[in-house]
Amino acid sequence: MTQMTMIQAITDALRTELKNDPNVLVFGEDVGVNGGVFRATEGLQKEFGEDRVFDTPLAESAIGGLAIGLALEGFRPVPEIQFFGFVYEVMDSINGQMARMRYRSGGRFSAPITVRSPFGGGVKTPELHADNLEGLMAQQPGLKVVIPSTPSDAKGLLIAAIRDNDPVIFLEHMKLYRSFREDVPEGEYTIPIGKADIKRQGENLTIITYGAMVHSSLKAAEELEKEGISVEVIDLRTVSPIDTETIVESVKKTNRAIVVQEAQKQAGVAANVVAEITERAILHLEAPIVRVTAPDTIFPFSQAEDVWLPNYTDIIEKAKYVINF
Amino acid sequence: MFKTFQILNEEGRVVNEEALPELSNEQLKELMKRMVYTRVLDQRSISLNRQGRLGFYAPTAGQEASQLGSHYALEKDDWILPGYRDVPQLIWHGLPLYKAFLFSRGHYVGNQMPEGVNALAPQIIIGAQIVQATGVGLGLKKRGKKAVAITYTGDGGSSQGDFYEGMNFAGAYKAPVIFVVQNNRFAISTPVEKQTAAKTIAQKSIAVGIPGIQVDGMDVLAVYSAVKEARERAINGEGPTLIETLTYRYGPHTMAGDDPTRYRTSVLDNEWEKKDPLVRFRKYLESKQLWSIDEEENIIEQAKEDIKAAIKKTDEIPKQKVTELIDIMFEQPPNHLKEQREEYVRKESK
């Protein structure tokens, strides 16, 4: 075990896979000699050479196309999109192309590609850096969307994503990059994609969440505990496909649930979680399932983040509403 | 600056002796056979479409020199990333005819390239094939293979962002890629003059710092030579080339209700019919006593028989099931698809 931040755990996962598999290629804008704008690829070009870790011209669409073409020649591309707000430039390459590769070729070709990209609010970034756009990707058949919230999850999930023979979108919350350290196992290990994790056991209420909201939810759970409310916190870890089994099992035990996301109410994946619970466990519910989300406006000007982003007090408020329903 | 490269004129006479490619008599005849065969395939595909026995179809008549002359310069190991009109190149690269028909009808088996055939199914998103071809080219370069990726788009496609991005990346990486723009002067109803103020498409290569050449796309020997040379440069590590072929489609844009008389004059049609790649190459071969009416009729008969057999085989392919579509989504099906699969197994067993 080594104490690592999430960004260190990500670098460690990339290093592990670059070492394990000569087909793994890491590329994007400034990921080479610069080591990435967040240092996620720090030292990797020096260790593995320019043939394995390389910079690209500044054009997201072609980065996606490059990944697809390299996959056709048997490589395992791990491209980076510098900020996920820039995904619109590469929506066709990801959603229109790599997500469909196996299907459209009738299984003849595949796209074992992992697209890494930072996102998430709370660090006062300029426009279109922090937007929560996972909901767009979660709606695309053929993609898996992974969002870790801890260093050890990040490493195990990233190794699993890279080894997956179908495309995975791996979204890294900027606020979590260096916000805390955690023991991370050395060497290689994987965490299955599509499997949620119960970050806190509880009896009275289930909070289903992901990304930075996992930590806000855990803080809210601590506060609620003081008032005698026992909260179970489920970290989805993969937002598409979602682990309905773990969610439903928990709701059957607690009979109450809220879903917490940083994205706007009309975005994200919370509505899908609510629908799955409704379809599968409605007779176990003592109260409606309520969502904690951001308001349905464009992502805020940086000075307005504090009043816009959902936080632990919003969660406490909704939790109490559901408890007292 | 970008003069049109031509070897055979409209009368089938050699006007550029020193550029004449080294092709044996057999190879010259093979080129003619492929063009005649493909012209028949186009005629038959249009009538099969009208009978409802084919689905999506983008006519190819007029573009035989551009499509098949360029393909003939390739090797088996080369990759083709075609646009939606580029089915003929796939067929001559190894895609069985019945699969081409299944692609037209909308059946996944049509897109299952046989092992060893390096090609994707025709790309519908105009420009996407360009950025992907660059990735394949970089892949070939990294593997140290002496092969290239070739990709095709039309004159309209040269206005897309991906067109520029793909060529620019290939230039920056010196990737072995050949970009072919088949300029048939119209993107559906929009003439090339409304795509760009550039006098040629070939000159767009300047923006990315790679060689560009404009070729008489109705001249099979000129197209062959240009691609052959681009391929040599590419496998020698000298990077990509943009080739613009000046060509014309005699038919509509697609068979989905497009009516070219709304936007093309008969004067223009007649002008381009005089440039027919088959006519001029036939004259050339006849002048060398390499071609006869009998030979041409044999090819036409052969094509018709092959097409009949292929359509029959197409009819015999089992209908698609939802469970099959689920099975080709992922290597390992996620739980939600397992669940949905079970539902459809029940429905399909009824």
Side-chain angles (χ1 to χ4, degrees), chain A residues 51 61 104 106 108 166, chain B residues 111-113 142 145 162 331:
Chain A
D51 202 40
S61 186
R104 81 183 292 263
R108 171 76 169 78
D166 290 297
Chain B
N111 286 12
Q112 284 173 325
M113 289 292 149
K142 284 183 179 291
K145 291 183 185 171
D162 275 355
E331 183 182 53

Side-chain angles (χ1 to χ4, degrees), chain A residues 255-297:
Chain A
N255 312 115
R256 285 179 169 83
I258 63 174
V259 189
V260 181
Q261 68 181 19
E262 185 177 301
Q264 295 90 335
K265 195 167 195 175
Q266 69 188 63
V269 301
N272 188 30
V273 175
V274 174
E276 290 288 350
I277 298 170
T278 313
E279 275 189 23
R280 291 161 198 271
I282 195 162
L283 294 178
H284 296 269
L285 289 173
E286 298 283 349
I289 311 153
V290 170
R291 286 172 283 170
V292 178
T293 70
D296 286 326
T297 71

